[in-house]
Amino acid sequence: MRRSLLLALALIAGCATAPRGTGDLGLVVERASGSLLLVETSGRTAFARVEGLGDLSHAAAVYSRDGRYAYVFGRDGGLTKVDLLHARIAQRRLQAGNSIGGAISSDGKLLAVANYEPGGIRIFDAATLELLSEVPSTWGDGKQRAKVIGIADAPGNRFVYSLFEAGEIWIVDAADPRRPQVTKLNGIGKQPYDGFVTPNGRHYIAGLFGEDGLALVDLWNPKPAARRVLDGYGRGQEPLPVYKMPHLRGWAVAGRYVFLPAIGRHEVLVLDTVSWTEAGRIAVQGQPVFAVAQPGGRRVWVNFAFPKNDVVQVIDVPEMKVVKELRPGRAVLHLEFTPRGEQVWISSRDDNVVVVYDTASYVETARLAARSPSGIFLSSRAAMTGF
Amino acid sequence: MRRSLLLALALIAGCATAPRGTGDLGLVVERASGSLLLVETSGRTAFARVEGLGDLSHAAAVYSRDGRYAYVFGRDGGLTKVDLLHARIAQRRLQAGNSIGGAISSDGKLLAVANYEPGGIRIFDAATLELLSEVPSTWGDGKQRAKVIGIADAPGNRFVYSLFEAGEIWIVDAADPRRPQVTKLNGIGKQPYDGFVTPNGRHYIAGLFGEDGLALVDLWNPKPAARRVLDGYGRGQEPLPVYKMPHLRGWAVAGRYVFLPAIGRHEVLVLDTVSWTEAGRIAVQGQPVFAVAQPGGRRVWVNFAFPKNDVVQVIDVPEMKVVKELRPGRAVLHLEFTPRGEQVWISSRDDNVVVVYDTASYVETARLAARSPSGIFLSSRAAMTGF
């Protein structure tokens, strides 16, 4: 009986992870320690830490379609599949020398990782992390590869991204993931530095570092082509020193408007997605890094580059002006909303804290200790396009 | 050892519900048998059946914010909390004599159930199903109650709904759920029959059975008022016999357009949400019941009333016309998309089947046996406003 009792206890321990929903889970990237803090947004608590993810500077994550697994893309080329329910690494492989992010296909079966070195993307089976195919970012005379940036998923298992040195946008159809079909758009503008797919999956927009505008592609067009928007918005004139390149992602879209951090300028640019013309500029207190639309698009929250990076400003969309300023802590690196927008989670790297606010009242509702937190990624991203 | 082995097996069985993600789960209402078929969209299979939910005709469901629990609103006034992971009823109460649906608050903590008898809404704690408060739909001389229809959630823990006999729209602020604050909009039009909140949480739109138009409320307005839209669209002229009232819900919105099934007419009306004027009408093959936008808004899928209810038509939004016709089975009652739109699930009551299509190729990818299936509700609704 004694032995059977021990066996019994062992088995209970073996299935100690009680079943729970995954719709309210998330992770916080702890870049300095190569770890992830696992969180849940119902009680607004941290419940576990997962370590051993390597170099997580500029790390990004996407989610399996069931919300259980996060795929973390590390700067060191590491691709790590994390099991949020068991709070452990399910699988990890070093897939390249230098990676800058990735995307998951609309059916959830494929991962595409964007690499600097060697330049190109690699497509993996999301279940096994098996390498299925590779698309080198060869350009010009065919001897060189460009850095791949701004990769995003598009409907129909497509991936869209930009080639920095080449000034090209590539659309990869991975319907047959071992033989991806590539559509190359040339001459889209100099030095695309980031890009995104709008949440409806229709448009890809690349920001240009080398000139004064952005490149727009309509993915619904059977023969997609790039056109220039916000040409001459002022990126060129009297450029300020750029302390940190802004980030672009699907969350910049609020209703009919896209809110774009201007490079080096203390402005957020507003792009009208009906006319594709400038709808205004909003003066902000520093160089914007992220402009993130609160779900529903009523407000847009903005964080900033050094030295103004202890402030978050909130733009009211109907009024098109800043209506609130918050100081969550020093070095605010990222912010993430719960899917229905009632909470926002904000990371303060230098205060080692993640602060949660109620978005209706701006009241702080939680303050969680974290190690130099940067990116925050909630599992609700599993259901979104362009995230 | 034999005994310990049996004990071991017993314990394994005891924790047989292996942890799994809940982002790809869903339920199919089996109205005739008062049961639910539980499904998952990754493998496109049914994995369990839950019975004992009472009268499920016209039943609707919402989800807990973690995606684990479904709250099912039955026509008999039954409010049932279903645990999808353990495939069982977690809690059930008969809360009224005759109910017509409900909504879950933006923070996921409150349920509001809309009742015909007694007329009004009741607000419950989503965790315990404890009754917190009641808002009777008293109107006119104060002696009578109206039927409550078209209830939906709005940001800031608000609920919006219409009073059929009274021709009123009420906005309930449940910030203090034991003392809800009610804003009443009078004279919005005769006999509102259904209503919905747009996915951005900004607008509430009520269809009017008693006259030729719809009522629109801007919930971002600090002093909300109802205005008439699509006035005189033709509901009045030469009305055909109405075989089944159409349903309105947030999923009617595709980009800047709302697609509205015309009452009794073989048309889908298109409402422009920028100008709030009619943007066109699309001829369809029968009386439309549901017009559901595929996530992303590229296409709108429509099912129909008897006798044309064995057909589903697909509208292309850029072309504004029907581009595809499918025949999933007899008596198609409902359709539901996976959140990124790559799959659509369609119920055929009289063929006792749920059919799954790949939305890009229109290829049938699964066919699941079900008992007189009607509504299909996926857990991804947990992250959506106005569903």
Side-chain angles (χ1 to χ4, degrees):
Chain A
M1 269 317 289
R2 194 131 194 291
R3 186 193 272 129
S4 63
L5 182 62
L6 290 175
L7 179 58
L9 293 172
L11 284 160
I12 291 170
C15 59
T17 305
R20 63 150 296 155
T22 50
D24 58 348
L25 301 184
L27 65 87
V28 178
V29 173
E30 298 181 313
R31 62 198 298 174
S33 54
S35 56
L36 305 176
L37 187 67
L38 303 189
V39 299
E40 55 82 29
T41 64
S42 295
R44 297 183 292 276
T45 62
F47 64 91
R49 174 171 279 123
V50 180
E51 306 193 286
L53 280 91
D55 180 359
L56 292 182
S57 51
H58 207 286
V62 297
Y63 280 88
S64 62
R65 67 196 308 285
D66 65 359
R68 174 177 182 173
Y69 298 100
Y71 301 95
V72 180
F73 310 102
R75 190 55 183 268
D76 57 3
L79 171 59
T80 311
K81 183 179 182 179
V82 177
D83 181 343
L84 274 74
L85 285 176
H86 286 127
R88 67 187 178 207
I89 292 175
Q91 210 172 340
R92 171 169 166 83
R93 61 180 293 170
L94 280 171
Q95 59 84 34
N98 189 331
S99 168
I100 193 62
I104 187 162
S105 61
S106 46
D107 69 358
K109 292 186 178 151
L110 307 172
L111 296 168
V113 187
N115 293 320
Y116 278 4
E117 192 47 54
I121 69 163
R122 285 180 171 152
I123 298 175
F124 297 88
D125 182 305
T128 63
L129 298 194
E130 174 197 3
L131 177 64
L132 300 177
S133 58
E134 177 166 9
V135 182
S137 53
T138 328
W139 64 286
D141 60 13
K143 296 197 186 72
Q144 61 214 317
R145 290 187 178 194
K147 294 191 196 69
V148 171
I149 57 88
I151 189 166
D153 57 286
N157 279 9
R158 291 177 299 168
F159 300 106
V160 191
Y161 51 89
S162 301
L163 279 59
F164 181 78
E165 295 86 349
E168 297 180 1
I169 292 170
W170 288 13
I171 303 164
V172 169
D173 182 335
D176 178 351
R178 294 184 183 276
R179 289 169 204 71
Q181 302 301 310
V182 185
T183 303
K184 303 178 181 181
L185 309 182
N186 306 313
I188 62 109
K190 294 199 193 78
Q191 297 176 307
Y193 69 90
D194 198 2
F196 67 97
V197 165
T198 52
N200 63 3
R202 177 169 185 172
H203 294 99
Y204 180 79
I205 300 174
L208 302 172
F209 188 71
E211 47 198 289
D212 220 6
L214 300 92
L216 170 72
V217 179
D218 182 351
L219 301 169
W220 285 8
N221 186 332
K223 297 205 181 309
R227 58 182 269 208
R228 187 68 51 88
V229 293
L230 295 189
D231 207 9
Y233 69 79
R235 185 263 172 288
Q237 76 195 57
E238 65 200 62
L240 304 161
V242 178
Y243 295 108
K244 184 168 168 50
M245 287 301 291
H247 290 260
L248 306 176
R249 218 77 189 127
W251 27 247
V253 179
R256 70 184 277 182
Y257 301 112
V258 187
F259 288 78
L260 300 162
I263 299 173
R265 303 175 65 81
H266 295 188
E267 285 179 342
V268 172
L269 306 170
V270 187
L271 176 61
D272 184 327
T273 63
V274 176
S275 64
W276 291 110
T277 56
E278 180 176 327
R281 304 166 176 233
I282 296 154
V284 288
Q285 62 94 38
Q287 292 187 4
V289 175
F290 288 97
V292 186
Q294 188 173 321
R298 174 73 189 266
R299 298 193 178 85
V300 173
W301 297 52
V302 185
N303 76 329
F304 299 92
F306 178 86
K308 304 292 203 78
N309 59 354
D310 62 333
V311 169
V312 169
Q313 288 188 313
V314 183
I315 294 166
D316 181 81
V317 173
E319 292 183 51
M320 287 288 176
K321 68 176 194 190
V322 172
V323 293
K324 186 71 179 177
E325 188 164 290
L326 298 167
R327 294 179 183 274
R330 293 171 297 154
V332 170
L333 293 191
H334 195 223
L335 51 161
E336 174 96 336
F337 291 92
T338 48
R340 292 170 76 186
E342 80 284 2
Q343 302 174 31
V344 62
W345 289 53
I346 302 179
S347 58
S348 163
R349 183 194 62 204
D350 295 353
D351 281 335
N352 296 293
V353 70
V354 172
V355 185
V356 184
Y357 292 94
D358 174 280
T359 55
S361 63
Y362 299 110
V363 169
E364 179 182 316
T365 55
R367 180 168 284 257
L368 313 178
R371 301 177 187 157
S372 307
S374 54
I376 304 170
F377 300 87
L378 299 183
S379 65
S380 44
R381 288 179 176 236
M384 298 171 179
T385 294
F387 279 62
Chain B
M1 271 317 291
R2 196 128 192 293
R3 187 194 271 130
S4 65
L5 182 62
L6 291 175
L7 179 58
L9 293 174
L11 284 159
I12 292 170
C15 60
T17 305
R20 63 151 294 155
T22 51
D24 58 348
L25 300 183
L27 66 85
V28 178
V29 172
E30 299 180 313
R31 62 198 298 174
S33 54
S35 57
L36 306 175
L37 186 68
L38 303 189
V39 299
E40 56 80 30
T41 65
S42 295
R44 296 183 291 275
T45 61
F47 65 91
R49 174 170 280 123
V50 180
E51 306 194 286
L53 280 90
D55 180 358
L56 291 182
S57 52
H58 206 285
V62 298
Y63 279 88
S64 62
R65 69 196 307 287
D66 65 358
R68 174 176 182 173
Y69 299 100
Y71 300 95
V72 181
F73 309 103
R75 190 56 184 268
D76 57 4
L79 170 59
T80 311
K81 183 178 181 180
V82 177
D83 180 343
L84 273 74
L85 286 175
H86 286 127
R88 67 187 177 207
I89 291 174
Q91 209 172 339
R92 171 169 167 84
R93 64 181 292 172
L94 281 171
Q95 59 81 38
N98 188 330
S99 166
I100 193 63
I104 187 163
S105 61
S106 47
D107 69 358
K109 291 184 179 151
L110 306 172
L111 295 168
V113 187
N115 293 320
Y116 277 3
E117 191 49 51
I121 68 162
R122 285 180 172 154
I123 299 176
F124 298 88
D125 182 305
T128 64
L129 297 196
E130 177 198 0
L131 177 64
L132 300 177
S133 58
E134 178 163 8
V135 181
S137 53
T138 324
W139 66 286
D141 60 13
K143 296 198 187 75
Q144 60 213 316
R145 292 187 177 194
K147 293 192 196 69
V148 171
I149 57 86
I151 190 166
D153 57 285
N157 278 11
R158 290 178 299 168
F159 300 106
V160 191
Y161 52 90
S162 300
L163 279 59
F164 181 79
E165 295 84 350
E168 297 179 4
I169 292 172
W170 288 13
I171 303 165
V172 169
D173 182 336
D176 178 351
R178 293 186 184 275
R179 287 168 206 71
Q181 302 301 310
V182 185
T183 302
K184 302 178 181 181
L185 308 182
N186 306 314
I188 62 111
K190 294 199 195 77
Q191 297 175 310
Y193 68 90
D194 198 4
F196 66 98
V197 165
T198 52
N200 63 3
R202 176 168 185 172
H203 295 100
Y204 180 80
I205 300 174
L208 302 173
F209 188 71
E211 47 198 289
D212 219 9
L214 299 91
L216 169 72
V217 179
D218 183 350
L219 299 169
W220 285 7
N221 186 333
K223 296 208 182 308
R227 58 181 271 211
R228 186 69 51 88
V229 293
L230 295 189
D231 206 9
Y233 69 78
R235 184 261 174 288
Q237 76 194 57
E238 65 200 65
L240 304 160
V242 178
Y243 295 109
K244 186 169 166 47
M245 287 300 291
H247 289 260
L248 306 175
R249 217 76 189 128
W251 28 247
V253 179
R256 70 184 278 182
Y257 301 112
V258 187
F259 290 77
L260 299 163
I263 300 174
R265 302 175 65 82
H266 296 188
E267 286 178 342
V268 171
L269 307 171
V270 187
L271 177 61
D272 184 328
T273 63
V274 175
S275 64
W276 292 111
T277 57
E278 179 175 326
R281 313 173 166 221
I282 296 154
V284 289
Q285 62 94 39
Q287 291 186 6
V289 175
F290 287 98
V292 185
Q294 189 172 320
R298 175 73 190 267
R299 297 193 178 87
V300 174
W301 297 52
V302 185
N303 75 328
F304 298 91
F306 178 85
K308 303 292 203 79
N309 58 354
D310 62 334
V311 168
V312 169
Q313 288 188 314
V314 183
I315 295 167
D316 182 79
V317 173
E319 293 183 53
M320 286 288 175
K321 67 176 194 190
V322 172
V323 293
K324 186 71 179 177
E325 188 164 293
L326 298 166
R327 294 180 184 273
R330 292 171 296 154
V332 170
L333 293 190
H334 196 225
L335 52 162
E336 173 97 336
F337 291 92
T338 48
R340 293 171 76 188
E342 81 284 1
Q343 302 174 30
V344 62
W345 289 53
I346 302 178
S347 57
S348 163
R349 183 194 62 202
D350 294 354
D351 281 336
N352 295 295
V353 70
V354 172
V355 185
V356 184
Y357 292 94
D358 175 280
T359 56
S361 64
Y362 299 109
V363 168
E364 178 182 318
T365 55
R367 180 167 283 257
L368 313 178
R371 301 178 187 156
S372 306
S374 55
I376 304 170
F377 300 87
L378 299 182
S379 66
S380 44
R381 290 178 174 235
M384 299 172 179
T385 294
F387 279 64

